[in-house]
Amino acid sequence: MSRPLPLTRPALAVVLLGSPGSGKGTQARQLSEALGIPHISTGDMLRAYVRQGHPTGAAVEGKLKAGILVKDEVVNALVVERLAQPDAARGFILDGYPRTRAQAETLSSMLAARGVQELVIHLIVDYNVIIARLTGRRQCPVCGTVYNLVSKPPKVPGVCDLDGAKLIVREDDRESVIRERLEAYEHQTRPLLDYFRGKGVRVSEVEASHDSPEVIFRKIEALIRES
Ligand code: ADP
């Protein structure tokens, strides 16, 4: 059920941190709906630019396919522009941003200037579960619905339940690329947990390997509402 955050509380930036495949996107979508604040995914924004043939899309397409991080300046500019939209005034959920120290610093100074409270939620997922999720992921190229061969298979193998389109493997879900994405996370993004803690930002750990998405959602929602 949707219960928007009270208007009286300070604006809130929820940062979902976790490895690729930790379920950030799934949780962010549900939280956005329940709390009435936008879901901001730099991965989705970059993929939309590629689909639309936008000049930024042409510049980043190769990096996305190879699982390599896009330049900080490009991603920071996207986020600065997005956070200036009126719907982000009361708060927002960041999914896939920040991913590097430079991005975290840009975000912190933006939020400090606007008096926005930060809350970091770290989704912890076992390595083997991550690999099973990423290698089993299939997507509908028409409506974007994401399936998983193990945890959420389509009714008819290989076919989207909603529109009958043939499901595809996202280019960056190929095994060699998955390795690249996990390494980028380990070396560049995981250290941000210490960066945030060092600045006195609250970092809440949520074990997200085995519980259902619904149970994990309840835990995160409670952390946010009591923050
Ligand atoms: P995942 O978290 O599953 O890897 P995303 O959709 O968040 O998927 O990101 C997909 C790709 O988009 C990344 O591998 C990277 O190339 C690019 N990307 C997304 N967000 C960022 C970011 N904050 N900084 C740099 N590159 C990014």
Side-chain angles (χ1 to χ4, degrees), residues 18-21 24 41-44 46-47 63-64 67-72 75 95-100 103 134 137 170 172 181:
S19 153
K24 299 186 299 293
S41 156
T42 42
D44 286 351
L46 292 165
R47 280 187 290 275
K63 293 221 161 92
L64 259 67
I68 297 168
L69 294 186
V70 170
K71 282 204 191 92
D72 291 328
V75 184
D95 158 18
Y97 180 93
R99 259 173 152 100
T100 64
Q103 293 177 19
L134 293 176
R137 192 150 74 172
R170 209 171 92 182
D172 61 349
R181 288 160 63 206

Side-chain angles (χ1 to χ4, degrees), residues 24-202:
K24 299 186 299 293
T26 305
Q27 293 300 329
R29 270 186 285 279
Q30 225 179 319
L31 289 165
S32 162
E33 210 168 289
L35 303 171
I37 54 178
H39 166 204
I40 299 179
S41 156
T42 42
D44 286 351
M45 289 163 89
L46 292 165
R47 280 187 290 275
Y49 273 148
V50 172
R51 273 199 308 276
Q52 293 157 6
H54 188 282
T56 302
V60 301
E61 188 171 8
K63 293 221 161 92
L64 259 67
K65 280 190 185 155
I68 297 168
L69 294 186
V70 170
K71 282 204 191 92
D72 291 328
E73 303 87 88
V74 173
V75 184
N76 282 335
L78 282 184
V79 174
V80 168
E81 199 185 312
R82 181 64 186 87
L83 295 191
Q85 304 290 315
D87 66 336
R90 282 199 310 119
F92 39 84
I93 298 169
L94 291 171
D95 158 18
Y97 180 93
R99 259 173 152 100
T100 64
R101 176 72 180 246
Q103 293 177 19
E105 286 170 355
T106 299
L107 177 68
S108 292
S109 54
M110 244 187 313
L111 299 183
R114 294 169 44 170
V116 178
Q117 181 193 341
E118 257 171 300
L119 172 64
V120 175
I121 309 275
H122 176 207
L123 297 180
I124 304 171
V125 180
D126 293 347
Y127 187 77
N128 290 338
V129 174
I130 293 280
I131 298 292
R133 284 188 191 163
L134 293 176
T135 53
R137 192 150 74 172
R138 299 289 182 274
Q139 192 165 21
C140 173
V142 177
C143 69
T145 302
V146 178
Y147 297 87
N148 190 284
L149 299 185
V150 184
S151 57
K152 191 193 165 194
K155 292 195 185 95
V156 178
V159 175
C160 180
D161 292 350
L162 303 181
D163 54 32
K166 191 168 176 303
L167 301 179
I168 55 165
V169 177
R170 209 171 92 182
E171 290 236 30
D172 61 349
D173 279 344
R174 296 178 201 289
E175 272 191 67
S176 60
V177 180
I178 287 173
R179 217 172 304 127
E180 189 69 41
R181 288 160 63 206
L182 292 176
E183 267 177 34
Y185 177 75
E186 281 307 317
H187 293 122
Q188 299 187 259
T189 310
R190 186 194 279 281
L192 298 182
L193 292 165
D194 282 337
Y195 166 80
F196 283 117
R197 287 191 194 105
K199 283 184 38 124
V201 173
R202 187 165 152 217

